[in-house]
Amino acid sequence: MSLLKLSIIMPVHNEEAYLLHTLETLSKQINNKGMPLKPGTFQVVIVNNASTDKTGSILKKFTESNKSFTITIIEKAEKSCVASRIIGYNFVINNPQFRTDILASADADISFHPQWVNTIIEKYKHEHFDLLSNAGCFPLDFWKKVPNLVQKYLDEIGTIFFGDEVINWLGVKGKSFWFTEQVFFDFTRLITDQCFAISRKTYESVGGYTLDFIDNKKKVEFTDEGGRLSAKIERTKAKIVYSNEAPYTASARRVLNDPIKFLGGRLYDIGYMGKVFRSTSDDKYKTLNELALNADYTGIRKYIIKNYILLKCITRPYLILKNKHYFGNFYNELEIEIKQWWIQKKQLEIGREAMEFAEQLTDKYYSEIMENLSKQIVT
């Protein structure tokens, strides 16, 4: 009888600098007693997405050196991140010998917590989730190199994107800030393609990932595929869980290569997420640290409100009443506006439209939300 419980689908494109470390963190997964997971408990399906660097040879060498590690490589000649995810998911779903009840998305520049796989499997067993949103952040090493940014984040935003290691280093437990992880517990964190899990049944029921484009010629992909998938799922009765027990750490390469976009809260804009960044250097840390001092952090606050509060209220309006302390005396107005918007929507394929509506609501209600927001205590 097969032990296979979880499939991790990972598209890769020219990831020679990061891929080996990511695979090593997956190959060292353990259970809650600190013992290695039994071989065959989970599998990794990698879609090599038109790589032109040493990614292919790294994959070949790793596979040959780790015979007990269940890994399948699919070669894709034409570059497309979203299509690569779709190919990987369809491969697992359509092949009985590879099919699992749990599917997970992953990126190739992630350090996975050693109990990430075990946490997913145990939560699926005991909590029966349909969608699991995973905690994640930049590593402590990144924040140590940008002290100006750390201080401005604490003053202007809070600890919402800091992991426990960073919070302990800063010694800020028990202190109050504008946004903390409490936002994710109150609204359930929007999933990121870097790291989340979903039941196969739920994925299939909503039609899975879909290709979308921001131009009429269909040349520029709408790359926030996880956000769009999440929006569709949230319109169903699916059970969505936020997990912070086994957080991942992500590369800060996008932040370092475009600090202006990052500090303005526009790094993940439509049409921009598909841009590829590879290099990091001490000079880039220095630039970000200097720019952080005089930046306007309104854009990042708007990004948080749009994606982690208002978008969630659009897809699940009951969250407004549940968390009306975020909205002061205008919560009823917001609820009516969202319900009226839904009256015009008859299709399930609303991921992109919901994101655009969240942008409009953010522009309209940002000042009122900030005026009514009570600071949150770091726990």
Side-chain angles (χ1 to χ4, degrees), residues 169-227:
W169 169 62
L170 293 170
V172 293
K173 282 193 176 181
K175 296 183 179 180
S176 299
F177 301 94
W178 288 118
F179 299 102
T180 72
E181 190 183 23
Q182 187 61 45
V183 173
F184 299 149
F185 287 111
D186 289 340
F187 294 93
T188 309
R189 182 175 181 170
L190 182 70
I191 65 170
T192 168
D193 292 296
Q194 292 176 313
C195 183
F196 76 87
I198 184 173
S199 73
R200 175 170 51 85
K201 180 179 178 181
T202 299
Y203 180 83
E204 292 182 285
S205 72
V206 298
Y209 281 119
T210 53
L211 279 169
D212 196 1
F213 301 87
I214 66 173
D215 63 323
N216 293 330
K217 293 183 179 180
K218 296 186 176 182
K219 298 291 185 182
V220 183
E221 284 184 335
F222 192 130
T223 50
D224 192 358
E225 60 271 30

Side-chain angles (χ1 to χ4, degrees), residues 138-147 149-150 153 162 166 169:
F138 296 137
L140 175 60
D141 182 62
F142 164 76
W143 294 108
K144 283 185 173 182
K145 293 179 180 180
V146 286
L149 179 61
V150 171
Y153 246 65
F162 292 167
V166 177
W169 169 62

Side-chain angles (χ1 to χ4, degrees), residues 11-16 47-53 55 79 108 276 278:
V12 299
H13 172 72
N14 291 350
E15 293 287 2
E16 63 180 13
V47 183
N48 190 8
N49 183 15
S51 294
T52 56
D53 65 354
T55 292
K79 183 178 178 296
V276 178
R278 292 290 176 260

Side-chain angles (χ1 to χ4, degrees), residues 314 336-345 350 353-355 357 360:
I314 291 170
I336 291 172
E337 188 167 354
I338 288 174
K339 287 183 176 180
Q340 288 177 339
W341 183 81
W342 274 112
I343 290 173
Q344 303 170 30
K345 303 294 172 184
I350 49 79
E353 293 90 339
M355 291 177 171
F357 185 41
Q360 297 170 22

Side-chain angles (χ1 to χ4, degrees), residues 67-109:
K67 297 294 186 181
S68 63
F69 188 65
T70 308
I71 182 170
T72 301
I73 301 169
I74 302 171
E75 297 290 342
K76 184 179 182 301
E78 186 178 351
K79 183 178 178 296
S80 168
C81 179
V82 184
S84 294
R85 292 200 197 276
I86 293 171
I87 287 170
Y89 272 71
N90 286 346
F91 174 81
V92 174
I93 291 169
N94 295 330
N95 290 278
Q97 67 270 37
F98 293 98
R99 192 177 299 147
T100 56
D101 289 336
I102 319 171
L103 310 171
S105 275
D107 279 353
D109 61 346

Side-chain angles (χ1 to χ4, degrees), residues 19-86:
L19 180 58
L20 181 58
H21 173 72
T22 297
L23 291 175
E24 286 175 346
T25 64
L26 286 175
S27 68
K28 296 175 181 176
Q29 293 291 299
I30 59 176
N31 61 25
N32 54 14
K33 295 181 180 179
M35 299 297 294
L37 294 180
K38 292 180 180 179
T41 301
F42 70 100
Q43 65 180 341
V44 180
V45 176
I46 292 181
V47 183
N48 190 8
N49 183 15
S51 294
T52 56
D53 65 354
K54 296 178 182 178
T55 292
S57 60
I58 290 171
L59 284 171
K60 181 180 179 182
K61 185 176 181 179
F62 181 86
T63 304
E64 291 174 348
S65 302
N66 295 269
K67 297 294 186 181
S68 63
F69 188 65
T70 308
I71 182 170
T72 301
I73 301 169
I74 302 171
E75 297 290 342
K76 184 179 182 301
E78 186 178 351
K79 183 178 178 296
S80 168
C81 179
V82 184
S84 294
R85 292 200 197 276
I86 293 171

